[in-house]
Amino acid sequence: MTFYTYGYLTNHHSNWQYLRIALIIALLAVFIGLFITYLRHSWNVKYKDMSIITGTLLLLVLGFQINSLVSLRSATEQTSEITGIVKNVAKQLDVQPSKLAVNATTTNNNLLIKAPSGYYRLAYNADGSAYVVERVQLQRPKVTIVKE
């Protein structure tokens, strides 16, 4: 069973976003350079073909980036929900949130919290608006903790 620390939940950001932005800027610079070269040497068709290929790659990478940003936004919203729950449980258990770990990065019905005093399960009501924290005993837990 994998548990994620509070630090992991709050600081887990994708560094691939910066690499993709750098790739978009590089492709845009190459595209502009090839297009300007084509305009100067309009008799040479290879610059036109290369600028079309680069423009197509640029649009493809832009599409991936937009899709990734939408996914990142959704994941950030879900992570903010789970960190809020961890803060509330920490307040109820009278411990710091950094000492807790949770078994999921999104909210679900089978949420387990690992605290220094033991394991706790969150039992949600029917509409999911409230929960009860109850202590549980795990039989032979194989716990892996993912830290930041």
Side-chain angles (χ1 to χ4, degrees):
M1 185 176 300
T2 304
F3 283 86
Y4 303 95
T5 62
Y6 180 76
Y8 176 84
L9 293 172
T10 56
N11 296 327
H12 183 67
H13 299 290
S14 177
N15 291 334
W16 289 102
Q17 299 299 325
Y18 300 118
L19 181 63
R20 286 185 184 162
I21 290 172
L23 181 63
I24 289 171
I25 292 170
L27 280 173
L28 186 62
V30 169
F31 174 74
I32 290 171
L34 286 171
F35 190 70
I36 289 172
T37 305
Y38 166 69
L39 291 177
R40 285 187 181 169
H41 308 286
S42 60
W43 51 268
N44 198 345
V45 181
K46 78 175 179 182
Y47 294 115
K48 176 184 173 185
D49 293 341
M50 289 174 55
S51 65
I52 289 172
I53 291 170
T54 306
T56 304
L57 281 174
L58 180 64
L59 290 176
L60 181 68
V61 172
L62 274 173
F64 283 140
Q65 181 66 19
I66 291 170
N67 185 26
S68 179
L69 286 175
V70 169
S71 298
L72 182 65
R73 181 177 175 201
S74 173
T76 302
E77 289 173 0
Q78 290 174 349
T79 301
S80 66
E81 285 180 35
I82 197 77
T83 55
I85 290 172
V86 170
K87 285 180 185 177
N88 289 338
V89 170
K91 191 181 294 182
Q92 289 177 354
L93 297 178
D94 197 30
V95 296
Q96 294 178 351
S98 61
K99 301 218 184 239
L100 298 180
V102 64
N103 72 330
T105 57
T106 60
T107 56
N108 58 30
N109 287 338
N110 295 323
L111 205 58
L112 293 176
I113 304 282
K114 181 184 181 310
S117 60
Y119 295 94
Y120 295 88
R121 181 175 73 95
L122 300 183
Y124 286 91
N125 64 352
D127 63 354
S129 61
Y131 57 85
V132 174
V133 179
E134 60 185 5
R135 188 177 172 98
V136 294
Q137 287 285 29
L138 298 180
Q139 300 298 319
R140 292 173 286 192
K142 294 181 181 177
V143 174
T144 304
I145 296 180
V146 178
K147 297 180 181 180
E148 46 179 315

